[in-house]
Amino acid sequence: MKQAVEWAAFPDARGHFGPYGGRFVAETLMGALDELQAVYEKYMKDPEFLAELDADLQNFVGRPSPLYHAERLSRELGGAQVYLKREDLNHTGAHKVNNTIGQALLAKRLGKTRIIAETGAGQHGVATATVAARLGLECVVFMGAEDIQRQSQNVYRMRLLGADVVAVKSGSRTLKDALNEAMRDWVANVDDTFYIIGTVAGPHPYPAMVRDFQSVIGREARAQHLEMTGRLPDALVACVGGGSNAIGLFHPFLADESVAMIGVEAGGDGVATGRHSAPLCAGRPGVLHGNRTYLMEDDNGQIIETHSISAGLDYPGVGPEHSWLKDIGRVSYVSVTDDMALRAFHRMTRTEGIIPALETSHAVAHVLDLAPRMRTDQSVIINLSGRGDKDLNTIARLEGIEL
Amino acid sequence: MSRIAKRFAETRASGRAALIPYVTAGDPAPGVTVALMHDLVAAGADLLELGVPFSDPMADGPVIQLACERALAHGTSLRDVLAMVAAFRERDRETPVILMGYLNPVERMGAETFAEAAGAAGVDGVLVVDLPPEESDELTGVLARVAIDPIFLVAPTTSSRRLEHVTAAARGFIYYVSLKGVTGSQALDPAELGARLSSIRALTELPLGVGFGIRDAQTAAQVARVADAVVVGSAIVRLVEQFPEAPDQFRAAASALVREMRTAMDDARMAEAPAPV
């Protein structure tokens, strides 16, 4: 980058990150998005709201999450010191709850009585059902029929929490179709319903709002790393589906020019095979789900089916801020195949006694490659975005074991 | 005068509301669409709305989602849809054709390439469902060069401030979404509709078309009393499912429905016309 970027100026008033982002929805939702933007801008400056949010993050979620020095793994890799930002230790087992807490508090202030959400791996659905249960709000979660098969434990958790889980049978029956269906529900029930989007995608103000709620990850990690080592980390690594855990870690470091950032997309069977979920590595800009961003599409602009071993990364788009950070060169994006992610899953589990989610395992896999190429006096933070309990059935099945 | 303006001038002069049937291009098969368009005109359509199939039709209900899936299973692309319009124009130079779809296929083709190809094919209006006026400058600019009208939606949730903005950007006619919901939703409320249309008329001279939730001839007749045009989509597209293996029977059923709506709409307007002195 040749000149300093005024990071706080993004997105602009209409939600644009350079050419990306914006608000591409049918007219019926424009009023609701204006209302949401107004309430979000108002309360993010309201000390009482922020105090309530902080208290919930501390007492209900269990924040701050530890920054853990993975000494044994670091020693084995023989390069950079590896630190893990332990979002897996949050209540509900992933970073998703940071955002659902925030949005649910906004929903309450707007007087909405019904919450809807989309979910892929089920982590966002569980985090949404959890906050809805706590606030006594009706909750409906849309989930692709394919993902319901893959993530039956999370489906059961959501139902225990009182959520109505709706199987989406249209299109590819995965996360993108769940998002379509949630949007359709919102259009029809916009008066009493708040739509809690789980990632940094969707129409403005969602990408900025979800980023702001997730930025607690990076703010804590930055302070923790400074306190533990007296310096900033050299690199940050996070997996990217829609990209909320990655932006949450990266955003508070954007102005720190010495800190490299790497987003890891799901390479599936390998980007060359076409069976993957890596729009930043192998897609092109287009418009889907309310924003302009990198997408996986065919020559006619139809969205194509994606593939990843992890349901949470199985999405053809990505948050618009990531598209912009890629184009301006502030963050680099790479991909990791299903097989590499699986090997990293086992390595982390056996070496550090931490079972990571399959999504997170993509970030771990990249660090297995990156850390040995760095010096031992350097450090890298992996966003350990979620725990792997939900993936045990998938892993066992791959190894021919029925649980 | 554009084909759309001319057609609305004619329907206004004859005291009728315009009838605008919607079909998804390429559904049930690409070979059916052009013949179906001619059928609909013969049955009483004043304008035609042709859906461009998209993989992720977020603003559509299950009926049109399935229509998109069927059309895409045949590989129907935006270029194919434009070729259908060009083929339709070989025999019909009068009936305005409006494309309705989503932005991504247009972006992929490129706004300028799309506008030129659409102009050459004989398209008169373009409604991009997920493109609100705020984001539409590029597309409306290139459409204006080829004299294609950008059609915009107004919804029950549109604030009066936004309404001014939308009516200022719109050309051709305003498409009023009669209810909160996706296409093919439950029936609308005619009384509330009349009040909303009056408030829009205060801001624009453009004709007002009403769509979403018009399921049968009776509803079409009610809407015809207060609107300049009635758009019917899911009610027609739903007929495809009744005749999955018989496109000819689907065409006949679609024509019959349009004819029935035409008659009911014209009767409703006749009943309202002041008695001759």
Side-chain angles (χ1 to χ4, degrees):
Chain A
M1 275 179 306
K2 286 173 192 73
Q3 69 195 67
V5 178
E6 187 59 51
W7 299 106
F10 293 91
D12 69 15
R14 297 224 309 257
H16 296 110
F17 300 91
Y20 302 107
R23 192 180 275 177
F24 295 88
V25 296
E27 178 59 31
T28 312
L29 287 179
M30 291 299 283
L33 290 167
D34 281 339
E35 179 188 59
L36 178 61
Q37 186 177 346
V39 71
Y40 148 72
E41 284 171 0
K42 175 179 166 198
Y43 285 111
M44 290 311 271
K45 284 181 254 158
D46 177 53
E48 203 176 307
F49 176 84
L50 294 173
E52 188 177 349
L53 177 61
D54 280 350
D56 278 356
L57 290 175
Q58 185 183 320
N59 303 321
F60 188 68
V61 176
R63 302 205 72 90
S65 67
L67 183 69
Y68 167 72
H69 185 191
E71 292 183 60
R72 185 158 177 244
L73 182 67
S74 304
R75 222 171 19 249
E76 278 193 15
L77 293 174
Q81 302 307 306
V82 178
Y83 288 83
L84 309 177
K85 181 58 177 163
R86 298 292 308 276
E87 293 299 301
D88 59 317
L89 295 178
N90 291 341
H91 179 43
T92 72
H95 71 289
K96 291 292 186 187
V97 72
N98 301 329
N99 166 52
T100 60
I101 289 266
Q103 289 199 48
L105 290 179
L106 288 179
K108 221 173 68 174
R109 287 199 171 40
L110 276 168
K112 307 280 182 183
T113 55
R114 182 171 175 270
I115 298 286
I116 57 169
E118 83 295 339
T119 197
Q123 289 303 108
H124 174 59
V126 168
T128 303
T130 299
V131 297
R134 179 168 169 259
L135 297 175
L137 300 168
E138 185 189 345
C139 181
V140 180
V141 178
F142 296 92
M143 189 168 185
E146 172 104 350
D147 291 337
I148 285 183
Q149 290 290 318
R150 290 197 273 193
Q151 303 287 347
S152 56
Q153 284 204 34
N154 269 344
V155 174
Y156 187 59
R157 284 168 83 192
M158 288 184 266
R159 289 186 172 142
L160 285 175
L161 289 159
D164 181 10
V165 181
V166 177
V168 177
K169 295 185 177 124
S170 56
S172 61
R173 305 163 154 234
T174 59
L175 179 54
K176 84 171 170 76
D177 309 286
L179 222 148
N180 290 337
E181 211 53 40
M183 283 279 183
R184 290 177 187 123
D185 181 289
W186 197 28
V187 170
N189 300 292
V190 66
D191 292 333
D192 70 344
T193 296
F194 190 103
Y195 179 15
I196 298 187
I197 293 187
T199 192
V200 285
H204 182 61
Y206 281 101
M209 179 172 68
V210 177
R211 173 198 72 194
D212 289 349
F213 287 134
Q214 290 293 0
S215 291
V216 66
I217 302 172
R219 282 196 306 273
E220 285 176 6
R222 194 172 183 283
Q224 288 165 324
H225 194 277
L226 278 171
E227 195 187 313
M228 290 164 78
T229 69
R231 55 189 291 278
L232 289 171
D234 298 281
L236 309 175
V237 179
C239 64
V240 177
S244 69
N245 92 77
I247 216 87
L249 177 64
F250 296 168
H251 197 261
F253 289 92
L254 284 175
D256 299 316
E257 284 177 29
S258 66
V259 181
M261 301 180 193
I262 301 118
V264 185
E265 293 194 302
D269 292 344
V271 166
T273 67
R275 281 175 50 77
H276 60 85
S277 306
L280 289 167
C281 294
R284 46 179 288 162
V287 172
L288 179 70
H289 292 153
N291 66 100
R292 181 175 281 118
T293 192
Y294 278 83
L295 295 178
M296 303 213 4
E297 58 173 9
D298 67 14
D299 291 342
N300 296 313
Q302 306 295 341
I303 308 307
I304 56 178
E305 286 199 19
T306 53
H307 169 78
S308 170
I309 191 172
S310 77
L313 301 182
D314 206 346
Y315 180 64
V318 63
E321 190 163 10
H322 285 292
S323 294
W324 176 63
L325 292 171
K326 170 192 157 75
D327 281 9
I328 64 171
R330 179 63 187 96
V331 179
S332 35
Y333 294 89
V334 299
S335 70
V336 150
T337 63
D338 287 351
D339 285 346
M340 290 158 73
L342 266 175
R343 282 201 296 275
F345 169 90
H346 289 295
R347 181 93 182 258
M348 178 61 77
T349 302
R350 290 296 188 93
T351 313
E352 290 291 346
I354 294 169
I355 302 180
L358 277 174
E359 290 78 14
T360 310
S361 299
H362 287 72
V364 175
H366 182 69
V367 170
L368 297 184
D369 177 60
L370 174 73
R373 293 187 275 117
M374 295 168 69
R375 296 191 314 270
T376 54
D377 63 344
Q378 291 185 302
S379 68
V380 52
I381 298 178
I382 302 176
N383 196 359
L384 219 289
S385 55
R387 68 180 187 219
D389 306 43
K390 68 180 175 59
D391 297 312
L392 296 187
N393 280 323
T394 305
I395 307 272
R397 209 173 303 129
L398 285 169
E399 301 188 336
I401 300 162
E402 274 305 319
L403 293 183
Chain B
M1 194 189 273
S2 76
R3 262 192 289 256
I4 293 177
K6 185 158 172 276
R7 182 49 51 94
F8 274 108
E10 289 163 8
T11 55
R12 269 183 177 165
S14 60
R16 298 186 305 148
L19 176 55
I20 313 181
Y22 163 100
V23 290
T24 303
D27 174 44
V32 178
T33 303
V34 176
L36 176 62
M37 291 167 77
H38 289 302
D39 289 352
L40 297 173
V41 173
D46 299 292
L47 299 84
L48 293 175
E49 205 173 279
L50 199 55
V52 180
F54 182 51
S55 54
D56 293 79
M58 277 194 325
D60 284 298
V63 171
I64 291 175
Q65 285 172 48
L66 286 171
C68 285
E69 286 182 19
R70 287 189 296 263
L72 290 173
H74 289 285
T76 309
S77 67
L78 179 51
R79 284 179 196 282
D80 295 334
V81 178
L82 294 175
M84 291 172 194
V85 177
F88 173 77
R89 281 277 170 258
E90 287 171 14
R91 276 178 48 203
D92 188 326
R93 310 198 133 274
E94 307 299 321
T95 309
V97 174
I98 293 127
L99 297 188
M100 182 171 185
Y102 293 79
L103 183 56
N104 201 52
V106 173
E107 288 240 330
R108 183 67 205 239
M109 186 184 273
E112 204 162 339
T113 311
F114 164 72
E116 279 163 21
V123 170
D124 302 286
V126 171
L127 197 177
V128 182
V129 181
D130 55 350
L131 187 68
E134 287 87 339
E135 300 279 2
S136 71
D137 290 354
E138 187 196 356
L139 186 63
T140 51
V142 293
L143 289 177
R145 273 188 253 150
V146 291
I148 292 179
D149 290 328
I151 313 290
F152 287 105
L153 299 170
V154 169
T157 51
T158 304
S159 66
S160 45
R161 217 182 78 211
R162 279 192 58 74
L163 189 56
E164 283 179 35
H165 195 57
V166 178
T167 50
R171 301 284 178 274
F173 67 97
I174 301 270
Y175 189 130
Y176 182 69
V177 176
S178 58
L179 46 81
K180 295 169 201 161
V182 293
T183 54
S185 301
Q186 77 288 358
L188 53 88
D189 175 357
E192 195 188 311
L193 178 65
R196 284 291 300 185
L197 294 187
S198 306
S199 66
I200 302 170
R201 283 214 167 86
L203 290 170
T204 181
E205 304 260 289
L206 288 175
L208 304 184
V210 173
F212 286 43
I214 297 167
R215 303 200 123 175
D216 50 28
Q218 196 194 344
T219 324
Q222 286 171 333
V223 173
R225 289 197 184 97
V226 290
D228 300 299
V230 177
V231 187
V232 185
S234 297
I236 296 172
V237 175
R238 191 175 279 123
L239 297 170
V240 175
E241 291 165 32
Q242 277 182 33
F243 306 102
E245 303 298 326
D248 289 347
Q249 279 171 277
F250 158 62
R251 280 172 54 190
S255 296
L257 178 62
V258 167
R259 207 167 281 124
E260 192 192 342
M261 288 184 161
R262 170 87 274 161
T263 307
M265 285 165 57
D266 293 349
D267 288 352
R269 278 290 188 98
M270 294 278 274
E272 296 234 321
V277 231

